[in-house]
mmCIF file of all heavy atoms in Angstrom:
data_model
loop_
_atom_site.group_PDB
_atom_site.id
_atom_site.type_symbol
_atom_site.label_atom_id
_atom_site.label_comp_id
_atom_site.label_asym_id
_atom_site.label_seq_id
_atom_site.Cartn_x
_atom_site.Cartn_y
_atom_site.Cartn_z
ATOM 1 N N ILE A 1 -2.029 -3.127 10.759
ATOM 2 C CA ILE A 1 -1.896 -4.533 11.078
ATOM 3 C C ILE A 1 -2.203 -5.421 9.907
ATOM 4 O O ILE A 1 -1.445 -6.401 9.580
ATOM 5 C CB ILE A 1 -2.735 -4.872 12.283
ATOM 6 C CG1 ILE A 1 -2.298 -4.181 13.492
ATOM 7 C CG2 ILE A 1 -2.802 -6.420 12.568
ATOM 8 C CD1 ILE A 1 -3.144 -4.211 14.710
ATOM 9 N N ALA A 2 -3.284 -5.163 9.116
ATOM 10 C CA ALA A 2 -3.572 -6.066 8.025
ATOM 11 C C ALA A 2 -2.616 -5.936 6.980
ATOM 12 O O ALA A 2 -2.185 -6.932 6.338
ATOM 13 C CB ALA A 2 -4.936 -5.529 7.342
ATOM 14 N N ILE A 3 -2.010 -4.674 6.668
ATOM 15 C CA ILE A 3 -1.047 -4.508 5.627
ATOM 16 C C ILE A 3 0.232 -5.303 6.039
ATOM 17 O O ILE A 3 0.907 -5.946 5.157
ATOM 18 C CB ILE A 3 -0.688 -3.167 5.394
ATOM 19 C CG1 ILE A 3 -1.817 -2.535 4.595
ATOM 20 C CG2 ILE A 3 0.662 -2.911 4.567
ATOM 21 C CD1 ILE A 3 -1.801 -1.026 4.393
ATOM 22 N N GLN A 4 0.652 -5.351 7.309
ATOM 23 C CA GLN A 4 1.735 -6.168 7.797
ATOM 24 C C GLN A 4 1.568 -7.654 7.577
ATOM 25 O O GLN A 4 2.498 -8.274 7.346
ATOM 26 C CB GLN A 4 1.945 -5.898 9.304
ATOM 27 C CG GLN A 4 2.466 -4.509 9.643
ATOM 28 C CD GLN A 4 2.533 -4.149 11.077
ATOM 29 O OE1 GLN A 4 1.739 -4.722 11.869
ATOM 30 N NE2 GLN A 4 3.421 -3.279 11.519
ATOM 31 N N ARG A 5 0.318 -8.097 7.689
ATOM 32 C CA ARG A 5 0.097 -9.494 7.486
ATOM 33 C C ARG A 5 -0.149 -9.869 5.951
ATOM 34 O O ARG A 5 0.339 -10.953 5.500
ATOM 35 C CB ARG A 5 -1.195 -9.916 8.188
ATOM 36 C CG ARG A 5 -0.984 -9.875 9.653
ATOM 37 C CD ARG A 5 -2.187 -10.467 10.342
ATOM 38 N NE ARG A 5 -1.959 -10.449 11.768
ATOM 39 C CZ ARG A 5 -2.698 -10.912 12.643
ATOM 40 N NH1 ARG A 5 -3.785 -11.442 12.290
ATOM 41 N NH2 ARG A 5 -2.365 -10.820 13.968
ATOM 42 N N ASP A 6 -0.555 -8.893 5.177
ATOM 43 C CA ASP A 6 -0.805 -9.177 3.712
ATOM 44 C C ASP A 6 -0.849 -7.781 3.082
ATOM 45 O O ASP A 6 -1.793 -7.127 3.036
ATOM 46 C CB ASP A 6 -2.069 -9.932 3.510
ATOM 47 C CG ASP A 6 -2.179 -10.364 2.073
ATOM 48 O OD1 ASP A 6 -1.352 -9.914 1.124
ATOM 49 O OD2 ASP A 6 -3.035 -11.100 1.655
ATOM 50 N N TYR A 7 0.176 -7.434 2.450
ATOM 51 C CA TYR A 7 0.341 -6.152 1.809
ATOM 52 C C TYR A 7 -0.743 -5.886 0.746
ATOM 53 O O TYR A 7 -1.026 -4.721 0.234
ATOM 54 C CB TYR A 7 1.643 -6.001 1.120
ATOM 55 C CG TYR A 7 2.103 -6.956 0.039
ATOM 56 C CD1 TYR A 7 1.683 -6.910 -1.153
ATOM 57 C CD2 TYR A 7 2.886 -8.209 0.291
ATOM 58 C CE1 TYR A 7 2.049 -7.826 -2.095
ATOM 59 C CE2 TYR A 7 3.191 -9.074 -0.492
ATOM 60 C CZ TYR A 7 2.689 -8.968 -1.786
ATOM 61 O OH TYR A 7 3.021 -9.869 -2.690
ATOM 62 N N LYS A 8 -1.395 -7.030 0.130
ATOM 63 C CA LYS A 8 -2.374 -6.805 -0.901
ATOM 64 C C LYS A 8 -3.577 -6.040 -0.376
ATOM 65 O O LYS A 8 -4.435 -5.649 -1.159
ATOM 66 C CB LYS A 8 -2.668 -8.149 -1.427
ATOM 67 C CG LYS A 8 -1.551 -8.699 -2.294
ATOM 68 C CD LYS A 8 -1.854 -10.059 -2.714
ATOM 69 C CE LYS A 8 -0.551 -10.750 -3.180
ATOM 70 N NZ LYS A 8 -0.519 -12.245 -2.975
ATOM 71 N N VAL A 9 -3.890 -6.071 0.986
ATOM 72 C CA VAL A 9 -4.991 -5.362 1.540
ATOM 73 C C VAL A 9 -4.919 -3.904 1.078
ATOM 74 O O VAL A 9 -5.981 -3.307 0.966
ATOM 75 C CB VAL A 9 -4.856 -5.436 3.083
ATOM 76 C CG1 VAL A 9 -5.819 -4.367 3.725
ATOM 77 C CG2 VAL A 9 -5.110 -6.817 3.483
ATOM 78 N N PHE A 10 -3.833 -3.364 0.699
ATOM 79 C CA PHE A 10 -3.660 -2.048 0.451
ATOM 80 C C PHE A 10 -4.658 -1.563 -0.775
ATOM 81 O O PHE A 10 -5.134 -0.562 -0.744
ATOM 82 C CB PHE A 10 -2.221 -1.702 -0.133
ATOM 83 C CG PHE A 10 -2.019 -0.273 -0.467
ATOM 84 C CD1 PHE A 10 -1.683 0.701 0.628
ATOM 85 C CD2 PHE A 10 -1.952 0.256 -1.755
ATOM 86 C CE1 PHE A 10 -1.471 2.040 0.251
ATOM 87 C CE2 PHE A 10 -1.853 1.438 -2.065
ATOM 88 C CZ PHE A 10 -1.472 2.430 -1.079
ATOM 89 N N SER A 11 -4.826 -2.574 -1.729
ATOM 90 C CA SER A 11 -5.587 -2.270 -2.923
ATOM 91 C C SER A 11 -7.083 -2.209 -2.490
ATOM 92 O O SER A 11 -7.956 -1.759 -3.337
ATOM 93 C CB SER A 11 -5.412 -3.290 -4.005
ATOM 94 O OG SER A 11 -5.769 -4.544 -3.425
ATOM 95 N N LEU A 12 -7.488 -2.629 -1.353
ATOM 96 C CA LEU A 12 -8.842 -2.399 -0.881
ATOM 97 C C LEU A 12 -9.323 -1.291 -0.151
ATOM 98 O O LEU A 12 -10.303 -1.054 0.019
ATOM 99 C CB LEU A 12 -9.178 -3.677 -0.023
ATOM 100 C CG LEU A 12 -8.962 -5.133 -0.596
ATOM 101 C CD1 LEU A 12 -9.158 -6.179 0.496
ATOM 102 C CD2 LEU A 12 -9.924 -5.359 -1.718
ATOM 103 N N LEU A 13 -8.284 -0.465 0.076
ATOM 104 C CA LEU A 13 -8.387 0.696 0.921
ATOM 105 C C LEU A 13 -9.057 1.797 0.166
ATOM 106 O O LEU A 13 -8.910 1.996 -1.139
ATOM 107 C CB LEU A 13 -7.169 1.118 1.579
ATOM 108 C CG LEU A 13 -6.334 0.144 2.369
ATOM 109 C CD1 LEU A 13 -5.089 0.686 2.910
ATOM 110 C CD2 LEU A 13 -7.247 -0.250 3.729
ATOM 111 N N LYS A 14 -9.649 2.791 0.840
ATOM 112 C CA LYS A 14 -10.003 4.030 0.363
ATOM 113 C C LYS A 14 -8.914 4.923 -0.167
ATOM 114 O O LYS A 14 -7.895 4.771 0.455
ATOM 115 C CB LYS A 14 -10.995 4.853 1.303
ATOM 116 C CG LYS A 14 -12.233 4.199 1.732
ATOM 117 C CD LYS A 14 -12.969 5.027 2.725
ATOM 118 C CE LYS A 14 -14.248 4.544 3.046
ATOM 119 N NZ LYS A 14 -14.996 5.307 4.153
ATOM 120 N N TYR A 15 -9.137 5.782 -1.129
ATOM 121 C CA TYR A 15 -8.124 6.635 -1.552
ATOM 122 C C TYR A 15 -7.435 7.392 -0.356
ATOM 123 O O TYR A 15 -6.143 7.459 -0.331
ATOM 124 C CB TYR A 15 -8.777 7.610 -2.574
ATOM 125 C CG TYR A 15 -7.698 8.676 -3.106
ATOM 126 C CD1 TYR A 15 -6.748 8.261 -4.094
ATOM 127 C CD2 TYR A 15 -7.537 9.899 -2.633
ATOM 128 C CE1 TYR A 15 -5.780 9.174 -4.636
ATOM 129 C CE2 TYR A 15 -6.685 10.855 -3.186
ATOM 130 C CZ TYR A 15 -5.824 10.429 -4.085
ATOM 131 O OH TYR A 15 -4.968 11.298 -4.640
ATOM 132 N N GLU A 16 -8.169 8.019 0.514
ATOM 133 C CA GLU A 16 -7.700 8.737 1.661
ATOM 134 C C GLU A 16 -6.714 7.865 2.533
ATOM 135 O O GLU A 16 -5.638 8.337 2.898
ATOM 136 C CB GLU A 16 -8.625 9.217 2.509
ATOM 137 C CG GLU A 16 -9.544 10.312 1.861
ATOM 138 C CD GLU A 16 -10.693 9.710 1.032
ATOM 139 O OE1 GLU A 16 -11.031 8.466 1.209
ATOM 140 O OE2 GLU A 16 -11.183 10.346 0.089
ATOM 141 N N GLN A 17 -6.930 6.603 2.630
ATOM 142 C CA GLN A 17 -6.099 5.723 3.304
ATOM 143 C C GLN A 17 -4.883 5.311 2.722
ATOM 144 O O GLN A 17 -3.801 5.120 3.321
ATOM 145 C CB GLN A 17 -6.871 4.460 3.835
ATOM 146 C CG GLN A 17 -8.012 4.712 4.872
ATOM 147 C CD GLN A 17 -8.867 3.389 5.094
ATOM 148 O OE1 GLN A 17 -9.395 2.886 4.249
ATOM 149 N NE2 GLN A 17 -8.935 3.036 6.501
ATOM 150 N N GLN A 18 -5.101 5.113 1.402
ATOM 151 C CA GLN A 18 -3.917 4.832 0.544
ATOM 152 C C GLN A 18 -2.857 5.963 0.606
ATOM 153 O O GLN A 18 -1.638 5.636 0.374
ATOM 154 C CB GLN A 18 -4.375 4.427 -0.891
ATOM 155 C CG GLN A 18 -4.966 3.154 -1.040
ATOM 156 C CD GLN A 18 -5.523 3.033 -2.362
ATOM 157 O OE1 GLN A 18 -5.653 3.993 -3.237
ATOM 158 N NE2 GLN A 18 -5.717 1.781 -2.778
ATOM 159 N N ASN A 19 -3.331 7.173 0.810
ATOM 160 C CA ASN A 19 -2.361 8.253 0.862
ATOM 161 C C ASN A 19 -2.045 8.712 2.147
ATOM 162 O O ASN A 19 -1.324 9.640 2.439
ATOM 163 C CB ASN A 19 -3.121 9.395 0.131
ATOM 164 C CG ASN A 19 -3.052 9.235 -1.357
ATOM 165 O OD1 ASN A 19 -1.996 9.470 -1.952
ATOM 166 N ND2 ASN A 19 -4.172 8.703 -1.947
ATOM 167 N N ASP A 20 -2.458 7.997 3.314
ATOM 168 C CA ASP A 20 -2.117 8.327 4.556
ATOM 169 C C ASP A 20 -0.581 7.975 4.789
ATOM 170 O O ASP A 20 -0.140 6.800 4.346
ATOM 171 C CB ASP A 20 -2.931 7.438 5.557
ATOM 172 C CG ASP A 20 -2.527 7.543 7.019
ATOM 173 O OD1 ASP A 20 -2.985 8.662 7.672
ATOM 174 O OD2 ASP A 20 -1.734 6.944 7.481
ATOM 175 N N ARG A 21 0.188 8.820 5.472
ATOM 176 C CA ARG A 21 1.651 8.661 5.389
ATOM 177 C C ARG A 21 1.997 7.284 6.156
ATOM 178 O O ARG A 21 2.852 6.637 5.599
ATOM 179 C CB ARG A 21 2.290 9.877 6.098
ATOM 180 C CG ARG A 21 3.732 9.790 6.069
ATOM 181 C CD ARG A 21 4.424 11.216 6.172
ATOM 182 N NE ARG A 21 5.753 11.126 5.953
ATOM 183 C CZ ARG A 21 6.392 11.240 4.818
ATOM 184 N NH1 ARG A 21 5.705 11.397 3.800
ATOM 185 N NH2 ARG A 21 7.718 11.184 4.680
ATOM 186 N N GLU A 22 1.371 7.002 7.280
ATOM 187 C CA GLU A 22 1.679 5.802 8.028
ATOM 188 C C GLU A 22 1.374 4.484 7.293
ATOM 189 O O GLU A 22 2.019 3.605 7.197
ATOM 190 C CB GLU A 22 1.145 5.890 9.465
ATOM 191 C CG GLU A 22 1.764 6.870 10.370
ATOM 192 C CD GLU A 22 3.369 6.564 10.454
ATOM 193 O OE1 GLU A 22 3.805 5.527 10.781
ATOM 194 O OE2 GLU A 22 4.137 7.571 10.322
ATOM 195 N N VAL A 23 0.085 4.593 6.684
ATOM 196 C CA VAL A 23 -0.295 3.395 5.946
ATOM 197 C C VAL A 23 0.633 3.216 4.704
ATOM 198 O O VAL A 23 1.121 2.130 4.509
ATOM 199 C CB VAL A 23 -1.773 3.619 5.477
ATOM 200 C CG1 VAL A 23 -2.109 2.522 4.431
ATOM 201 C CG2 VAL A 23 -2.688 3.663 6.585
ATOM 202 N N LEU A 24 1.009 4.288 3.932
ATOM 203 C CA LEU A 24 1.810 4.186 2.830
ATOM 204 C C LEU A 24 3.232 3.650 3.329
ATOM 205 O O LEU A 24 3.945 2.930 2.530
ATOM 206 C CB LEU A 24 1.879 5.538 2.081
ATOM 207 C CG LEU A 24 2.623 5.481 0.718
ATOM 208 C CD1 LEU A 24 2.097 4.552 -0.042
ATOM 209 C CD2 LEU A 24 2.494 6.900 0.166
ATOM 210 N N LYS A 25 3.683 4.101 4.373
ATOM 211 C CA LYS A 25 5.023 3.768 4.847
ATOM 212 C C LYS A 25 4.958 2.248 5.074
ATOM 213 O O LYS A 25 5.994 1.616 4.685
ATOM 214 C CB LYS A 25 5.280 4.476 6.174
ATOM 215 C CG LYS A 25 6.647 4.088 6.698
ATOM 216 C CD LYS A 25 6.850 4.851 8.040
ATOM 217 C CE LYS A 25 8.196 4.554 8.781
ATOM 218 N NZ LYS A 25 8.360 5.193 10.085
ATOM 219 N N GLN A 26 4.008 1.791 5.746
ATOM 220 C CA GLN A 26 4.005 0.361 6.125
ATOM 221 C C GLN A 26 3.727 -0.614 4.913
ATOM 222 O O GLN A 26 4.431 -1.528 4.748
ATOM 223 C CB GLN A 26 2.778 0.043 7.086
ATOM 224 C CG GLN A 26 2.798 -1.420 7.571
ATOM 225 C CD GLN A 26 4.037 -1.883 8.194
ATOM 226 O OE1 GLN A 26 4.517 -1.101 9.063
ATOM 227 N NE2 GLN A 26 4.607 -2.867 7.708
ATOM 228 N N PHE A 27 3.051 0.015 3.900
ATOM 229 C CA PHE A 27 2.827 -0.622 2.617
ATOM 230 C C PHE A 27 4.193 -0.756 1.925
ATOM 231 O O PHE A 27 4.544 -1.811 1.380
ATOM 232 C CB PHE A 27 1.736 -0.018 1.725
ATOM 233 C CG PHE A 27 1.659 -0.499 0.402
ATOM 234 C CD1 PHE A 27 1.213 -1.869 0.107
ATOM 235 C CD2 PHE A 27 1.815 0.217 -0.773
ATOM 236 C CE1 PHE A 27 1.069 -2.367 -1.080
ATOM 237 C CE2 PHE A 27 1.571 -0.270 -1.923
ATOM 238 C CZ PHE A 27 1.293 -1.618 -2.187
ATOM 239 N N SER A 28 4.843 0.282 1.855
ATOM 240 C CA SER A 28 6.158 0.383 1.163
ATOM 241 C C SER A 28 7.141 -0.639 1.705
ATOM 242 O O SER A 28 7.921 -1.202 0.998
ATOM 243 C CB SER A 28 6.725 1.860 1.336
ATOM 244 O OG SER A 28 5.955 2.761 0.803
ATOM 245 N N ILE A 29 7.198 -0.781 3.137
ATOM 246 C CA ILE A 29 7.948 -1.772 3.663
ATOM 247 C C ILE A 29 7.596 -3.113 3.526
ATOM 248 O O ILE A 29 8.487 -3.970 3.224
ATOM 249 C CB ILE A 29 8.006 -1.439 5.263
ATOM 250 C CG1 ILE A 29 8.682 -0.158 5.528
ATOM 251 C CG2 ILE A 29 8.724 -2.532 6.015
ATOM 252 C CD1 ILE A 29 8.431 0.403 6.885
ATOM 253 N N SER A 30 6.274 -3.478 3.331
ATOM 254 C CA SER A 30 5.819 -4.756 3.364
ATOM 255 C C SER A 30 5.804 -5.390 1.908
ATOM 256 O O SER A 30 5.872 -6.435 1.638
ATOM 257 C CB SER A 30 4.355 -4.824 3.944
ATOM 258 O OG SER A 30 4.410 -4.493 5.176
ATOM 259 N N ALA A 31 5.437 -4.477 0.881
ATOM 260 C CA ALA A 31 5.243 -4.951 -0.441
ATOM 261 C C ALA A 31 6.428 -5.077 -1.281
ATOM 262 O O ALA A 31 7.453 -4.300 -1.121
ATOM 263 C CB ALA A 31 4.283 -4.018 -1.199
ATOM 264 N N PRO A 32 6.487 -6.158 -2.131
ATOM 265 C CA PRO A 32 7.618 -6.238 -3.083
ATOM 266 C C PRO A 32 7.526 -5.029 -4.127
ATOM 267 O O PRO A 32 6.414 -4.429 -4.255
ATOM 268 C CB PRO A 32 7.386 -7.632 -3.777
ATOM 269 C CG PRO A 32 6.024 -8.075 -3.411
ATOM 270 C CD PRO A 32 5.584 -7.297 -2.219
ATOM 271 N N PHE A 33 8.561 -4.593 -4.671
ATOM 272 C CA PHE A 33 8.601 -3.522 -5.567
ATOM 273 C C PHE A 33 7.633 -3.547 -6.592
ATOM 274 O O PHE A 33 6.866 -2.574 -6.898
ATOM 275 C CB PHE A 33 10.137 -3.299 -6.081
ATOM 276 C CG PHE A 33 10.076 -2.150 -7.087
ATOM 277 C CD1 PHE A 33 10.059 -0.883 -6.571
ATOM 278 C CD2 PHE A 33 10.061 -2.550 -8.454
ATOM 279 C CE1 PHE A 33 10.082 0.105 -7.501
ATOM 280 C CE2 PHE A 33 10.022 -1.326 -9.352
ATOM 281 C CZ PHE A 33 10.067 -0.076 -8.958
ATOM 282 N N GLU A 34 7.512 -4.704 -7.317
ATOM 283 C CA GLU A 34 6.658 -4.876 -8.359
ATOM 284 C C GLU A 34 5.184 -4.566 -7.979
ATOM 285 O O GLU A 34 4.499 -3.764 -8.788
ATOM 286 C CB GLU A 34 6.709 -6.296 -9.045
ATOM 287 C CG GLU A 34 8.011 -6.539 -9.660
ATOM 288 C CD GLU A 34 9.145 -7.024 -8.793
ATOM 289 O OE1 GLU A 34 8.875 -6.939 -7.572
ATOM 290 O OE2 GLU A 34 10.100 -7.484 -9.242
ATOM 291 N N TYR A 35 4.625 -4.938 -6.895
ATOM 292 C CA TYR A 35 3.318 -4.783 -6.463
ATOM 293 C C TYR A 35 3.283 -3.251 -5.995
ATOM 294 O O TYR A 35 2.221 -2.592 -6.324
ATOM 295 C CB TYR A 35 3.013 -5.597 -5.192
ATOM 296 C CG TYR A 35 1.512 -5.633 -4.947
ATOM 297 C CD1 TYR A 35 0.729 -6.405 -5.683
ATOM 298 C CD2 TYR A 35 1.071 -4.802 -4.023
ATOM 299 C CE1 TYR A 35 -0.715 -6.412 -5.398
ATOM 300 C CE2 TYR A 35 -0.351 -4.714 -3.754
ATOM 301 C CZ TYR A 35 -1.287 -5.607 -4.455
ATOM 302 O OH TYR A 35 -2.555 -5.548 -4.163
ATOM 303 N N PHE A 36 4.133 -2.754 -5.220
ATOM 304 C CA PHE A 36 4.174 -1.405 -4.925
ATOM 305 C C PHE A 36 4.144 -0.400 -6.245
ATOM 306 O O PHE A 36 3.312 0.508 -6.238
ATOM 307 C CB PHE A 36 5.392 -0.890 -4.141
ATOM 308 C CG PHE A 36 5.495 0.557 -3.867
ATOM 309 C CD1 PHE A 36 4.768 1.054 -2.663
ATOM 310 C CD2 PHE A 36 6.059 1.370 -4.678
ATOM 311 C CE1 PHE A 36 4.697 2.459 -2.556
ATOM 312 C CE2 PHE A 36 6.043 2.786 -4.564
ATOM 313 C CZ PHE A 36 5.417 3.335 -3.366
ATOM 314 N N TYR A 37 4.868 -0.791 -7.162
ATOM 315 C CA TYR A 37 4.843 0.141 -8.442
ATOM 316 C C TYR A 37 3.695 -0.011 -9.025
ATOM 317 O O TYR A 37 3.096 1.000 -9.729
ATOM 318 C CB TYR A 37 6.215 -0.240 -9.160
ATOM 319 C CG TYR A 37 6.541 0.726 -10.278
ATOM 320 C CD1 TYR A 37 7.116 1.958 -9.810
ATOM 321 C CD2 TYR A 37 6.225 0.604 -11.653
ATOM 322 C CE1 TYR A 37 7.405 3.014 -10.748
ATOM 323 C CE2 TYR A 37 6.619 1.565 -12.417
ATOM 324 C CZ TYR A 37 7.215 2.705 -12.108
ATOM 325 O OH TYR A 37 7.494 3.708 -12.890
ATOM 326 N N ALA A 38 3.032 -1.150 -9.116
ATOM 327 C CA ALA A 38 1.734 -1.291 -9.807
ATOM 328 C C ALA A 38 0.656 -0.497 -9.136
ATOM 329 O O ALA A 38 -0.127 0.171 -9.771
ATOM 330 C CB ALA A 38 1.345 -2.756 -9.918
ATOM 331 N N CYS A 39 0.667 -0.581 -7.783
ATOM 332 C CA CYS A 39 -0.270 0.280 -6.932
ATOM 333 C C CYS A 39 0.008 1.784 -7.216
ATOM 334 O O CYS A 39 -0.863 2.643 -7.355
ATOM 335 C CB CYS A 39 -0.254 -0.098 -5.631
ATOM 336 S SG CYS A 39 -0.965 -1.626 -5.296
ATOM 337 N N PHE A 40 1.302 2.142 -7.307
ATOM 338 C CA PHE A 40 1.671 3.557 -7.518
ATOM 339 C C PHE A 40 1.095 4.085 -8.876
ATOM 340 O O PHE A 40 0.580 5.002 -8.891
ATOM 341 C CB PHE A 40 3.223 3.646 -7.629
ATOM 342 C CG PHE A 40 3.856 4.988 -8.077
ATOM 343 C CD1 PHE A 40 3.724 6.069 -7.251
ATOM 344 C CD2 PHE A 40 4.414 5.110 -9.353
ATOM 345 C CE1 PHE A 40 4.217 7.295 -7.699
ATOM 346 C CE2 PHE A 40 4.847 6.271 -9.880
ATOM 347 C CZ PHE A 40 4.795 7.407 -8.972
ATOM 348 N N LEU A 41 1.154 3.169 -9.859
ATOM 349 C CA LEU A 41 0.569 3.634 -11.155
ATOM 350 C C LEU A 41 -0.944 3.687 -11.152
ATOM 351 O O LEU A 41 -1.516 4.525 -11.726
ATOM 352 C CB LEU A 41 1.160 2.757 -12.267
ATOM 353 C CG LEU A 41 2.740 2.925 -12.516
ATOM 354 C CD1 LEU A 41 3.117 1.810 -13.489
ATOM 355 C CD2 LEU A 41 3.036 4.247 -12.906
ATOM 356 N N SER A 42 -1.492 2.626 -10.470
ATOM 357 C CA SER A 42 -2.845 2.485 -10.642
ATOM 358 C C SER A 42 -3.597 3.433 -9.630
ATOM 359 O O SER A 42 -4.837 3.935 -10.073
ATOM 360 C CB SER A 42 -3.202 0.967 -10.091
ATOM 361 O OG SER A 42 -2.606 0.088 -11.017
ATOM 362 N N PHE A 43 -3.142 3.622 -8.505
ATOM 363 C CA PHE A 43 -3.888 4.414 -7.362
ATOM 364 C C PHE A 43 -3.412 5.760 -7.259
ATOM 365 O O PHE A 43 -3.870 6.497 -6.362
ATOM 366 C CB PHE A 43 -3.907 3.615 -6.091
ATOM 367 C CG PHE A 43 -4.414 2.278 -6.210
ATOM 368 C CD1 PHE A 43 -3.739 1.121 -5.825
ATOM 369 C CD2 PHE A 43 -5.715 1.991 -6.692
ATOM 370 C CE1 PHE A 43 -4.339 -0.043 -5.943
ATOM 371 C CE2 PHE A 43 -6.361 0.804 -6.693
ATOM 372 C CZ PHE A 43 -5.509 -0.317 -6.371
#
């Protein structure tokens, strides 16, 4: 729900949550490419 409201919440999550399939799916849908790609490289 938080990611749906603000995709930047993703950067605050624990590693396990960032790699959860449903969380990552919602983040992919919500975030602009540039932010997604930065998180892909960083996390």
Side-chain angles (χ1 to χ4, degrees):
I1 292 169
I3 290 172
Q4 288 172 338
R5 291 189 178 182
D6 186 353
Y7 59 85
K8 294 176 193 143
V9 168
F10 184 84
S11 65
L12 302 174
L13 301 178
K14 292 180 181 179
Y15 178 78
E16 296 82 19
Q17 288 174 306
Q18 290 175 337
N19 285 278
D20 179 85
R21 188 158 185 88
E22 287 304 312
V23 170
L24 187 54
K25 179 180 176 184
Q26 187 58 54
F27 175 61
S28 302
I29 293 168
S30 301
F33 175 76
E34 292 83 353
Y35 193 83
F36 175 86
Y37 199 70
C39 288
F40 169 74
L41 295 174
S42 299
F43 302 121

